[in-house]
Every structure is written in structure tokens, then in C-alpha cells.
Amino acid sequence: MPIPEDVTGDEIDKDVRQELQSLPKTLAEDVARNLVMVARLIDEDPEGAYGYSKVALRLASRVAAVREAAGFAAYANQKYSEALAEFRAARRMTGSAELWPVMADCERGLGRPEKALDMAGAPEVHKLDKAGQVEMRLVAAGARRDMDQLDAAIVTLQSSELASNSIQPWTARLRYAYADALLAVGREGEAREWFAKAVEADRDGSTDASDRLAEMDGVEFVDALDDDEDEHDGDSADAKATDADADAPEAKAPEAEADDSADDDLVDDEGDTERAEQRDKD
């Protein structure tokens, strides 16, 4: 797959670069450039990212960072079985529990929420950092909802991280999930409150909390682009009408010429009649 010339491979994380040092230099550069493309495209073009991940995987399947990147690319394309296999391979290589929450979410994607809940209670969760533990809580709550255990999902999300007033990278998503769970059981007043709190914490627009809040408040957004298009269409229609008016006199011109021709014929007929009468008198 083509890679833009501005992608050198130096953009990758230093830890990943260190892993690639086990490869020949040229091969390491090729793998690095493909990994950069995976990271660059995974949000906007998941299919493209998946393609680059497959190239990297063919080149260096024994590098944990490559297996992890392939896992996330497959996950972004909802290829949960493939993603789970890659995450497991990466975990075997590193011994880290960091991928445990996303592995559990793959189980959800495969229709096995019970398995995800089992993973949420496993010893590996205690090895996670704070962000990982919050992620695991979100996955567990999602699994509860998959099983129609809506009240249990709410309880799962209730935690010191949810109650905290400090803004952390996970705060917006945690508050959003809690608001959505409350709304699912009909607790609209509380849901609105937590959607508003999610908006406060969502500094990078990672959720659509503001849209959900506006929807609850009955606010409708009008697309300015659509208005511009409508106005443009109106202008075009007016222009066409003006053109039609301008063309109208020209359309009548042949009729005027026809009338003039008819008058000339009438004059000629009258002259012929007079000459005939004169001959009769003679």
C-alpha cells in the first residue's frame, strides 16, 4: 500500500521504536511507516488503517507492538474475533494486562457479555492503572446492559472516579455512560444532570453529550450549510425566472414579423382590387 513521502517512521512512540530494533534496519523502517499509517487513519479511515496493519503484520508478526496495532485496527472495523486473537498474542509476548479491558469488550462484540463480566472480576484487573480500571468498569457496565441488567449497569458505574470533581481523561466517557444508563431506566432528570456534567468534562469532543443534552431540552439544530444551499437554490430560481422574462420579447418577435407580412399582403390585395375595378370601367 502507498505511503506518503512525509511519513518517515520516526513518528512512532519510542517504546515501539525500541521493539523494532530487533529487526534489520530497512525492515524496521518499513514496519514503522506502516504503523504510523495505522495510527493516522484508524479514526477517520478504519478500513485503510486495517490494510496497513496487515502489511505490518506480514513484515513483523513477532513484534508485540505490531500485533497490538493489528488488534486495534481489526477492533475499529468490528472484526472482534480477529482483534481478540491479536490482543491475546500481544499479551503473551509482553505479559502485560494493559489490553485486558479491550479484550473483554471484544467478548461483548462477539455476543458473550457473560465472558466480559468474568474478565471484569479477574485478578488481571488489579494490575491495571487507574485509566485501565475505569475502562474495565465501562466494559462491565456495557455487558450488564447487553444482558438487560439496567439497574446493575448503573450500580457498576457508581464509583469514586464518577463522584470526583477532578477532570481526568476518562471523566467525560464515564459521566456519559452513567447518564445514558440513567436515561435507559427513565430517570430523565438525573440523566440530564449527568449529560451536563459530561459536557463540562468533554474538552476534546470525545462524546456527543452536548447533542444528547440539547435533545433532552428540545433544542433543534439547523445546518447552516443547508440554509446556504436553499438560498443558493432560491437565487438560481430567481435568475432563471429573470432569464425567462428577458427571453420573452424575443419569443414574440416572429409573431410581429408575421403580422407585418400580413399587412403587406392586405395592401397588395387592395391594390389588385382597385386595378380590376378600373379595367371594368374602361
Side-chain angles (χ1 to χ4, degrees), residues 83-178:
L84 185 58
E86 296 300 337
F87 290 142
R88 284 173 174 168
R91 183 170 178 270
R92 284 195 301 270
M93 294 176 180
T94 63
S96 172
E98 182 180 359
L99 296 172
W100 197 252
V102 70
M103 290 169 62
D105 206 39
C106 286
E107 296 288 0
R108 284 186 61 210
L110 292 169
R112 301 193 292 252
E114 298 89 350
K115 178 63 176 176
L117 286 177
D118 289 342
M119 294 179 69
E124 284 80 358
V125 175
H126 300 295
K127 300 177 184 178
L128 298 171
D129 59 14
K130 182 64 69 175
Q133 291 179 1
V134 171
E135 192 66 33
M136 192 72 250
R137 189 178 293 276
L138 288 167
V139 173
R144 292 291 186 187
R145 293 190 64 172
D146 293 343
M147 301 167 64
D148 292 326
Q149 299 176 3
L150 303 183
D151 290 327
I154 292 173
V155 173
T156 300
L157 293 168
Q158 293 172 343
S159 59
S160 58
E161 292 82 15
L162 179 66
S164 175
N165 291 323
S166 65
I167 304 300
Q168 301 295 335
W170 60 77
T171 303
R173 292 178 60 237
L174 184 59
R175 292 178 177 179
Y176 181 95
Y178 190 59

Side-chain angles (χ1 to χ4, degrees), residues 13-204:
D13 183 88
K14 63 179 182 179
D15 292 334
V16 176
R17 189 180 301 113
Q18 186 174 359
E19 284 191 57
L20 296 179
Q21 288 179 354
S22 61
L23 303 174
K25 183 177 180 181
T26 302
L27 179 59
E29 291 176 353
D30 288 342
V31 173
R33 295 181 72 207
N34 278 281
L35 292 180
V36 171
M37 292 304 297
V38 173
R40 178 178 289 189
L41 297 177
I42 197 163
D43 291 328
E44 301 298 329
D45 181 13
E47 290 185 5
Y50 180 75
Y52 284 105
S53 75
K54 300 299 283 187
V55 174
L57 197 59
R58 286 198 301 270
L59 296 173
S61 62
R62 296 185 179 182
V63 176
V66 172
R67 304 302 290 266
E68 181 176 331
F72 277 110
Y75 179 83
N77 284 275
Q78 299 183 3
K79 299 178 183 292
Y80 297 118
S81 181
E82 184 178 339
L84 185 58
E86 296 300 337
F87 290 142
R88 284 173 174 168
R91 183 170 178 270
R92 284 195 301 270
M93 294 176 180
T94 63
S96 172
E98 182 180 359
L99 296 172
W100 197 252
V102 70
M103 290 169 62
D105 206 39
C106 286
E107 296 288 0
R108 284 186 61 210
L110 292 169
R112 301 193 292 252
E114 298 89 350
K115 178 63 176 176
L117 286 177
D118 289 342
M119 294 179 69
E124 284 80 358
V125 175
H126 300 295
K127 300 177 184 178
L128 298 171
D129 59 14
K130 182 64 69 175
Q133 291 179 1
V134 171
E135 192 66 33
M136 192 72 250
R137 189 178 293 276
L138 288 167
V139 173
R144 292 291 186 187
R145 293 190 64 172
D146 293 343
M147 301 167 64
D148 292 326
Q149 299 176 3
L150 303 183
D151 290 327
I154 292 173
V155 173
T156 300
L157 293 168
Q158 293 172 343
S159 59
S160 58
E161 292 82 15
L162 179 66
S164 175
N165 291 323
S166 65
I167 304 300
Q168 301 295 335
W170 60 77
T171 303
R173 292 178 60 237
L174 184 59
R175 292 178 177 179
Y176 181 95
Y178 190 59
D180 197 44
L182 289 169
L183 189 60
V185 297
R187 294 162 62 175
E188 295 184 3
E190 295 173 84
R192 188 200 177 285
E193 176 186 351
W194 281 97
F195 275 129
K197 290 182 178 181
V199 171
E200 294 174 359
D202 195 0
R203 297 169 178 171
D204 59 356

